[in-house]
Amino acid sequence: MSSDPSSTIESVLQESRIFTPAKEVADKARIRSLAEYQEMVDAAMSDPDRFWGDAARKELHWFEPFQSVLDWTNPPFAKWFEGGKTNLSFNCLDRHLENGRADKEALIWEGEPGDVKRFTYRQLHEQVCLAANALKSLGIRKGDMVALYMPMVPEAAIAMLACARIGAPHSVVFGGFSAEALRDRLIDGEAKAVITADGGFRKDKTVPLKNAVDKALENDACPTVTSVLVVRRIKEPVAMKTGRDHWWHELISEQSKDCPAEVMNSEDRLFVLYTSGSTGKPKGVVHTTAGYNLWAHLTFKWIFDIREEDIYWCTADVGWITGHSYIVYGPLSNGATTVMYEGAPRASNPGAFWELIQKHKISIFYTAPTAIRAFMKMGRTVPDQHDMSSLRLLGTVGEPINPEAWMWYRDVIGGGSCPVVDTWWQTETGGVMISPLPGATPTKPGSATLPLPGIEADVVDTKGRSVDPDEGGYLVIRRPWPGMMRTIHGNPKRFRESYWEYLRPSSKEHIYFAGDGARRDKEGYFWVMGRVDDVINVSGHRLGTMEIESALVSHPAVSEAAVVGRKDELKGEGIVAFVTLEIGRAQTDDLVHELISHVGTEIGAIARPDEIRISEALPKTRSGKIMRRILRALASGDEVSGDTSTLEDRSVLDKLRS
Ligand code: WTA
């Protein structure tokens, strides 16, 4: 563990504002008071099997009922709803055709150049069946991994649902990752097929996605990949390799509309999603069918308190877990109308979000603190020019939100009347874990408030003992929950070590360690402080410092590299790299630029360092460990405090300072 969470807390807000849910909001809500919330918490704690079992029977469709709720006999490997047979695509589509939602809009898609597409549940079902049959025609079968490397087009959601329909686990790779990063994920996941597009629109440019796929597959680097399915989006010419590459629209046009959902076991793999950890390469987080479906469904229903007439919009990308759980699966499983936006706000169109809210009469809006801070900086003139009276609920996710941004969001975007739900969770947790419920939980700006029913969250010391109120510690979850990750693809040992053995409880307890520091106040409210491991959070994107270091060291000029985060007003954290060069390499501005762009090529633009500092040596202990604490202080321009007596060569510090 690289930093002590208690040290990050000093400056934290003695926040005392409290916003109690308005009576009009509470009256209409599913969960209307803290007392009702508490009843659910108590029910889940006293008889979890009954609580989760009842929820699973009530909220999901089962081809065959499950025999047991939780099997925790071999921790940390959980099995939920064993014996049950279900299908996520059926739960998101087919069951709504029978319950009166066939002609309700399921998906409203807004393209970057302004084109719009709408799909009712019936139409979405049909598209998913066609795509599922197209995958089958390529020889994809239950259990085969299918990678998606796509822009934010409807086909991305359709492809995910098509994979789920035939039982082929998907692995969505964010379209902003480079060909190299894609290749690593294709190899690790042993993908059989890749679904991509000729390209995507990003801000005012296009990105050549198909070219990146070609590069990733060059020289037979990923021998398991036998087919590539290409959606036509930007309509620029791309090379198509005969026998391997197929146009989505052509292949779809040859398919039947009939594709019954595969009957899946509860614990069959649903998807793998790669995320960054503190050591080594990104890890493939594995989620399975029934537990994930239930958690995405329930959390979406509780937190957004969804109603039939809602138009819901989450601004994430499907390449991240937020896109999986809260653009696609959570909303559709609930029969809601979900909006998907291909673009991102950009300098040339700063009002893009507000325009969309006005145009589609969005009632629930879910975005990231980094976006809110960027808008806040631009002032309220632009949002004030839009009619956003359709909004009734606002959410944030991805990183801690500072109280000023929270207040601005509530006042300027929500007109002072929309509850704000700050939702804490992770790729690993499948769905939200700590969040207010809009009709029940009084909110405090900057706090994710209270754990959801059934989630036993705590703040502990290194031995897993609860710390006192207002003391900093490690954020943990003490019991299994349905949406928890099941393992790391191909590496159960790493799963056990990173999440379940990091803290050393004195008893035989299995405590899930999230990697975040937090404090809990006297009312039990959680204040998440950010990562305490070597993961940095840049604009809500999670990156491992090790990955960036490996990318730097793969450049011939670099001998050693150490990467740290630095507080950034807009992005949350910025990336600073300390680098030593190979003998004979000169330190020039050109080289610095080259190194920055090299990281872009190796990982993707989101990982490009904000600053590279070249120095003669890095501060190390006598045993050769880089002292990151010192580098973090130097990167932020802070005094280097604490013990430096273990430094092998103290002159390094003076050189770095100068
Ligand atoms: C951070 C994104 C504070 C946290 C859903 C976590 C947050 C990491 C919040 C997971 C929040 C997410 N308040 N921090 N509301 N939400 N985080 O896997 O550090 O991309 O561990 O999942 O984001 O990032 P991931």
Side-chain angles (χ1 to χ4, degrees), residues 275 321-322 397-400 422-428 514 516 528 531 537 542:
T275 192
I321 190 72
T322 308
V397 56
E399 45 174 326
D422 172 6
T423 61
W424 176 85
W425 61 297
Q426 315 178 290
T427 306
E428 293 87 339
D516 281 328
V528 179
R531 304 290 306 197
N537 192 325
R542 192 170 148 179

Side-chain angles (χ1 to χ4, degrees), residues 424 426 474-476 498-499 512-517 530-533 535:
W424 176 85
Q426 315 178 290
Y474 304 111
L475 180 52
V476 298
S498 340
Y499 299 102
Y512 171 83
F513 168 58
D516 281 328
R531 304 290 306 197
V532 291
D533 52 7
V535 169

Side-chain angles (χ1 to χ4, degrees), residues 168-275:
H170 56 67
S171 160
V172 186
V173 179
F174 173 56
F177 279 125
S178 67
E180 277 70 13
L182 172 65
R183 181 188 299 141
D184 287 347
R185 287 158 177 77
L186 294 177
I187 293 172
D188 187 80
E190 297 164 77
K192 295 270 161 60
V194 184
I195 307 180
T196 188
D198 52 354
F201 295 103
R202 181 150 319 129
K203 305 218 167 166
D204 294 310
K205 289 186 281 193
T206 58
V207 272
L209 295 168
K210 171 64 166 58
N211 288 355
V213 172
D214 290 342
K215 197 166 163 210
L217 299 181
E218 238 167 39
N219 305 322
D220 206 20
C222 312
T224 53
V225 175
T226 49
S227 324
V228 178
L229 197 50
V230 188
V231 172
R232 190 145 75 192
R233 175 61 187 140
I234 60 169
K235 305 203 169 73
E236 278 173 18
V238 290
M240 296 292 278
K241 188 170 166 185
T242 319
R244 187 195 72 181
D245 299 352
H246 309 266
W247 285 107
W248 171 283
H249 59 276
E250 286 177 8
L251 200 62
I252 293 277
S253 69
E254 298 160 7
Q255 306 303 323
S256 135
K257 290 176 187 163
D258 184 33
C259 180
E262 193 77 37
V263 174
M264 303 300 288
N265 294 320
S266 292
E267 281 299 338
D268 279 340
R269 252 171 206 228
L270 179 64
F271 65 83
V272 173
L273 184 58
Y274 286 84
T275 192

Side-chain angles (χ1 to χ4, degrees), residues 363-374:
S363 56
I364 306 173
F365 180 61
Y366 192 31
T367 194
T370 185
I372 300 167
R373 288 194 296 266

